[in-house]
Amino acid sequence: YADGSLERVVLPACKPGAQGPIYLEANHREKRPYHGGEIVESISSRGSHLLSLSSNGRAAFFTHSASDPSPEFLDLNMRSWAAHLSDRHAVLGASSLTPLMVHSLHESHISHVPSHILTNSTHDDHPRASAVYGICSAPPSAPWGSSDRVVISGWYDGVVNVHDLRSSRRAHRIPGV
């Protein structure tokens, strides 16, 4: 929501033969103000994990199956646009000199230090501020495979990049991580 809250809606079982709209009662909705007053820009889920990202770069990472439903927060402190979860990592897109960051996932938490910073292939020689507005994984029929280690990103300048985290040429590893 624009007020920074997330709402979990549990859909009731459908009654056989029921037609028309279903109106959900309050006991099927749970609203939580995890992002304060910041707009929620992006939500991504994978398996039992959920990642939401606010416009000011506050990421909230949840594990649905955890006994404690409280999120783990990660503050990017920059204008942010897109989030994408895979089985192994969370990819966050923002506006900065390093607008595409990969954070490793471990059981029920997210690494607070990026494991990779991905770049726009058209500007590898001269890094400059840019923004990433869209992130997704490779489609199943992609010629390079449908590995969750392949990330596709859409950039401010209209360029779409394919980043293969299996290749050291595509991802810049952060020293010491």
Side-chain angles (χ1 to χ4, degrees), residues 20-92:
I22 297 173
Y23 298 98
L24 296 176
E25 296 178 24
N27 63 338
H28 292 285
R29 304 172 91 88
E30 179 183 340
K31 195 169 180 180
R32 299 278 175 99
Y34 291 127
H35 292 285
E38 300 174 10
I39 296 171
V40 175
E41 284 288 350
S42 183
I43 297 176
S44 180
S45 68
R46 180 76 171 230
S48 65
H49 295 120
L50 179 106
L51 178 68
S52 62
L53 182 64
S54 75
S55 59
N56 291 329
R58 184 175 175 114
F61 177 74
F62 303 82
T63 300
H64 298 301
S65 60
S67 59
D68 179 13
S70 300
E72 179 180 358
F73 293 103
L74 175 66
D75 288 312
L76 302 179
N77 299 316
M78 62 184 77
R79 179 66 171 104
S80 298
W81 299 101
H84 175 72
L85 276 177
S86 76
D87 290 333
R88 299 179 188 186
H89 54 262
V91 186
L92 303 170

Side-chain angles (χ1 to χ4, degrees), residues 8-176:
R8 180 176 182 218
V9 178
V10 178
L11 299 176
C14 291
K15 296 177 183 170
Q19 293 182 3
I22 297 173
Y23 298 98
L24 296 176
E25 296 178 24
N27 63 338
H28 292 285
R29 304 172 91 88
E30 179 183 340
K31 195 169 180 180
R32 299 278 175 99
Y34 291 127
H35 292 285
E38 300 174 10
I39 296 171
V40 175
E41 284 288 350
S42 183
I43 297 176
S44 180
S45 68
R46 180 76 171 230
S48 65
H49 295 120
L50 179 106
L51 178 68
S52 62
L53 182 64
S54 75
S55 59
N56 291 329
R58 184 175 175 114
F61 177 74
F62 303 82
T63 300
H64 298 301
S65 60
S67 59
D68 179 13
S70 300
E72 179 180 358
F73 293 103
L74 175 66
D75 288 312
L76 302 179
N77 299 316
M78 62 184 77
R79 179 66 171 104
S80 298
W81 299 101
H84 175 72
L85 276 177
S86 76
D87 290 333
R88 299 179 188 186
H89 54 262
V91 186
L92 303 170
S95 296
S96 75
L97 284 172
T98 56
L100 190 57
M101 296 156 285
V102 178
H103 292 262
S104 298
L105 297 181
H106 308 280
E107 299 276 331
S108 62
H109 72 278
I110 186 171
S111 171
H112 285 257
V113 176
S115 59
H116 296 82
I117 294 178
L118 306 178
T119 61
N120 187 338
S121 61
T122 60
H123 303 296
D124 278 345
D125 296 337
H126 306 292
R128 62 180 186 184
S130 189
V132 173
Y133 293 139
I135 308 167
C136 68
S137 57
S141 61
W144 50 84
S146 63
S147 169
D148 72 343
R149 309 268 302 152
V150 175
V151 176
I152 301 169
S153 60
W155 293 67
Y156 170 77
D157 59 5
V159 172
V160 173
N161 287 286
V162 175
H163 309 275
D164 191 340
L165 299 178
R166 301 170 293 189
S167 169
S168 61
R169 289 181 24 218
R170 291 285 181 209
H172 298 287
R173 188 140 183 91
I174 297 173

